[in-house]
Amino acid sequence: MGDITTVEADAIVNAANTSLRGGGGVDGAIHRAAGPQLKHECITRFPEGTETGAAILTKAYNLPAKNVIHTVGPKYYEYESRVERAQELLSSCYRRSLSLAHANGLTSIAFPSISTGIYGYPIEEATKIALEQTRSFLETPEGQNFQRVIFVVFSEEDFAVYRDALPEYFPPSPSDTVSDVANP
C-alpha cells in the first residue's frame, strides 16, 4: 500500500486514458509528479493517443522510476454485457506492459490496480487478472529476466484483496513476506 509515484523501479505503470494527456487518479498523480515533460512527450510522440489494452513507454522525468509504461484499461461499465471482452482488454494491459518492459531490457516494474478506480472494474476480478497475467508472463523465457514486480495499491481495502489473492498465484516460500508499504 502506497504511492506509486515514489517507487524506484525500471518502470512504473500508468493507468492512462486513451489520450495519454493525464487525467485523474493514478494517471493524474503520475503526470503531476513527473512534470510537464511527460505530457509533452506523450503529445509529441503519440499525438493520436493509444487504444484500450495497449502499452507505450516514455521517460519518467521527475519520478524516481526510470520509465513510465502507459496502459489503457477498459471502462468496465462499457463492457458489462461483454465481460469476456473487458477481461481480454485488462489482461492485455498486463501482458503488453510486461512485454514492453522486457523488450526494453527492464527488470523491475510496479503496477497500480488498473481500471479499478473511476473505470469501475471490480477489484476482486481485476486483482485475479493482474496476478494471473503476471504469473503467466514470469513463467515464460522472457519473464525470467525480471527481478522484481511490485503491485502498489492506494487503499487498505484494495491491499486486503491483493494480500488475500497473492498466495494463490505466488505461493510463499518460508522466507517470503508481504509488505503493507511499498518499499522498493
Side-chain angles (χ1 to χ4, degrees):
M1 193 170 101
D3 179 352
I4 198 165
T5 67
T6 65
V7 175
E8 292 180 32
D10 289 342
I12 62 169
V13 176
N14 179 18
N17 59 51
T18 56
S19 75
L20 300 175
R21 306 299 191 263
V26 170
D27 191 17
I30 288 173
H31 273 266
R32 282 188 300 277
Q37 304 96 326
L38 179 60
K39 185 175 183 178
H40 178 73
E41 181 179 354
C42 288
I43 290 169
T44 304
R45 289 187 53 215
F46 309 98
E48 302 299 318
T50 194
E51 62 189 24
T52 302
I56 60 109
L57 180 76
T58 65
K59 295 177 184 174
Y61 300 99
N62 298 330
L63 293 164
K66 296 174 184 169
N67 302 278
V68 177
I69 295 175
H70 306 263
T71 191
V72 181
K75 295 177 182 174
Y76 190 77
Y77 51 85
E78 291 181 359
Y79 294 93
E80 286 181 300
S81 63
R82 301 176 293 148
V83 173
E84 294 83 17
R85 181 66 180 142
Q87 293 168 341
E88 290 170 9
L89 290 168
L90 187 57
S91 294
S92 178
C93 290
Y94 287 95
R95 280 193 317 272
R96 286 181 159 184
S97 294
L98 289 161
S99 293
L100 186 59
H102 168 73
N104 285 277
L106 311 180
T107 62
S108 60
I109 188 169
F111 285 101
S113 186
I114 300 167
S115 282
T116 61
I118 196 165
Y119 283 12
Y121 213 110
I123 183 66
E124 293 82 6
E125 294 173 35
T127 300
K128 289 177 184 177
I129 289 170
L131 297 174
E132 178 182 272
Q133 291 303 314
T134 301
R135 174 67 189 244
S136 293
F137 188 85
L138 293 176
E139 290 176 340
T140 68
E142 295 83 13
Q144 300 302 307
N145 294 328
F146 278 89
Q147 295 175 1
R148 189 169 51 152
V149 176
I150 305 164
F151 297 97
V152 182
V153 295
F154 191 71
S155 74
E156 290 182 27
E157 294 82 12
D158 290 355
F159 176 76
V161 172
Y162 269 83
R163 181 196 60 224
D164 293 346
L166 199 61
E168 181 180 342
Y169 298 91
F170 297 93
S173 67
S175 63
D176 289 341
T177 61
V178 176
S179 173
D180 64 348
V181 178
N183 287 326

